[in-house]
Amino acid sequence: MSFWKKYKNRMIVAFVAIILIVIIGITANGREKLSKGENLLGNIFSPVQKFSINIGERVSNFFESILHMGSLKSENEELKLKVAELEEKNRRYEDLIGRSDYLLREKELIENTHYNLIPAQLIGKEPGNWFNRFVIDKGAKDGVKKGDVVIQAVDTGEGIIQEGVVGRVLETGDTWAKVVSIIDENSDISFKAIRTQDGGILSGSVEGKLSGYLFDTGADVIKGDKLFTSGLGGVYDADLYIGEVINVIKEDEDLMKKVEVEPAVDFKKIYKVFVISD
Amino acid sequence: MNTFIIILSIVVNFILETTLIPHFRIFQVVPNTGLVLVVVLAILNGKTIGSLAGLVVGLLQDIMFIPVIGINAFIYFFVGYSVGIAETKLSKDSILLPILMTILLTFGYHMVYYIFMYFFNYNLPLSKLLKDVVSIETVCNTIIAIPVFKLLSKLFITPKITFGKK
């Protein structure tokens, strides 16, 4: 008894530490479903977080629009010119595609692929600087499943135009889901360059940059190439836009060609996303 | 009353930290207000409440964001406990104590986290992390620790004295 009294505090601390390590061990291998307690906690917190993040978004949008008030008009003019230019370019590309049977078929495939998209909103970001994970406001009740791919897209009224792939769902609660982004350190994504169809693998890093390597050392990939998901491995759906190559590194002693990629999505500003459920 | 303030501050901090604070990034780095809160609570209330608060703050983060439960809870628990041990030996009045503790424990947090991640097979560049993330985060955390400490020390200590006189 005296032993217990003397070391009571330390015993409790050691006990808690052991329990936590056991929990880490149990949950480390990934689970199919969240426990009831976790689910409940998420259900309670997610509406509050949603409310709070919406306020934050409004406030920061308000200040941003004030800051850019002066430049709006000139920017509008510029954008109009740019749209005209892009339309012209697009027509030329379509012409080019039309001439190649292979590409035509690929284009048809892309046009006819209809994903079932669930609109969702960001409700919280993981605190700290280590990882890039967040929580969205749609969960199992809305049809979101573990492993679903999350993309950023714009709803133009005529259809949904995808802007880029954001990440994939890690775990789902009733009305919320955890998402890991593609720039997360432990997230790998297989890609293909749209121009040459060369494939490779990209992974994220702590600094939030995407980099990876090509399967083929002789692959002809240059700065400015657009990368899409290849669908290899089945983790990410095929033909989702990832981003643009900003640097190609080839070292003689290395057997691989490395690429650095600028993701299409600004991960600091994601707010509205879509979940692909199939 | 104190228990109420502690729980409220943890919940409010969690909501702010995950929703509003990411808007204010300094060199792409967000301050870790959860850590600051645990340090300040432990300084003001001792090791029992400090470690309990750490456990709750950590578990909240783990459950809401991370597939593996317990890493943050483990680290914050020991942050609260170690600050609580030092609390009995040092003066609470000086503002230097929370500043020093925050610097020390921000560093400690990242070190322990790195060890955990090492065992989870994450291959992270430690030197880059120290240079780009930990250094800036330490400064941010320290700046935030000062007002948090002042605010909470007012909330906790004043009512105790008035009740004692009665």
Side-chain angles (χ1 to χ4, degrees), chain B residues 19-92:
Chain B
T19 56
L20 291 185
I21 291 175
H23 285 290
F24 309 101
R25 281 170 187 274
I26 301 145
F27 299 110
Q28 309 293 345
V29 171
V30 279
N32 190 344
T33 50
L35 186 84
V36 172
L37 185 71
V38 174
V39 169
V40 171
L41 285 178
I43 290 173
L44 294 172
N45 295 294
K47 61 185 172 190
T48 318
I49 288 176
S51 49
L52 262 176
L55 201 63
V56 175
V57 170
L59 273 178
L60 265 179
Q61 280 189 22
D62 281 341
I63 289 173
M64 286 301 288
F65 292 96
I66 305 171
V68 181
I69 311 276
I71 299 176
N72 276 310
F74 185 91
I75 302 173
Y76 285 125
F77 176 73
F78 277 100
V79 165
Y81 188 72
S82 53
V83 175
I85 291 173
E87 172 260 339
T88 47
K89 298 184 176 82
L90 296 162
S91 149
K92 273 192 218 180

Side-chain angles (χ1 to χ4, degrees), chain A residues 43-184:
Chain A
N43 289 351
I44 294 169
F45 268 105
S46 50
V48 188
Q49 282 178 297
K50 191 173 172 179
F51 177 72
S52 165
I53 205 166
N54 283 343
I55 291 176
E57 195 67 27
R58 290 249 175 87
V59 171
S60 89
N61 275 349
F62 176 71
F63 280 110
E64 235 167 59
S65 59
I66 285 183
L67 276 176
H68 298 303
M69 196 97 89
S71 60
L72 275 184
K73 202 172 153 74
S74 59
E75 205 176 307
N76 198 0
E77 295 289 318
E78 252 172 58
L79 285 175
K80 267 182 192 157
L81 284 175
K82 188 131 190 188
V83 166
E85 190 189 318
L86 285 175
E87 270 175 354
E88 164 72 32
K89 230 181 190 171
N90 200 8
R91 274 196 293 276
R92 261 191 287 143
Y93 281 147
E94 268 173 10
D95 184 37
L96 211 69
I97 288 168
R99 269 184 248 153
S100 153
D101 287 343
Y102 167 73
L103 284 174
L104 185 69
R105 254 178 281 136
E106 175 125 357
K107 182 177 170 259
E108 268 172 12
L109 186 76
I110 293 175
E111 276 177 353
N112 296 333
T113 315
H114 285 295
Y115 298 116
N116 189 9
L117 293 173
I118 304 168
Q121 184 205 321
L122 203 77
I123 51 171
K125 283 177 183 152
E126 189 191 342
N129 297 304
W130 279 71
F131 298 108
N132 258 291
R133 285 184 283 231
F134 46 87
V135 171
I136 54 172
D137 70 337
K138 292 282 153 62
K141 274 186 184 164
D142 308 284
V144 177
K145 290 185 302 294
K146 185 181 173 180
D148 280 352
V149 176
V150 180
I151 59 167
Q152 193 175 51
V154 203
D155 197 345
T156 53
E158 289 164 20
I160 292 166
I161 297 166
Q162 55 146 320
E163 279 180 76
V165 53
V166 173
R168 73 195 145 84
V169 175
L170 271 182
E171 275 174 341
T172 53
D174 279 345
T175 55
W176 54 287
K178 299 178 194 176
V179 176
V180 60
S181 72
I182 54 167
I183 53 167
D184 192 272

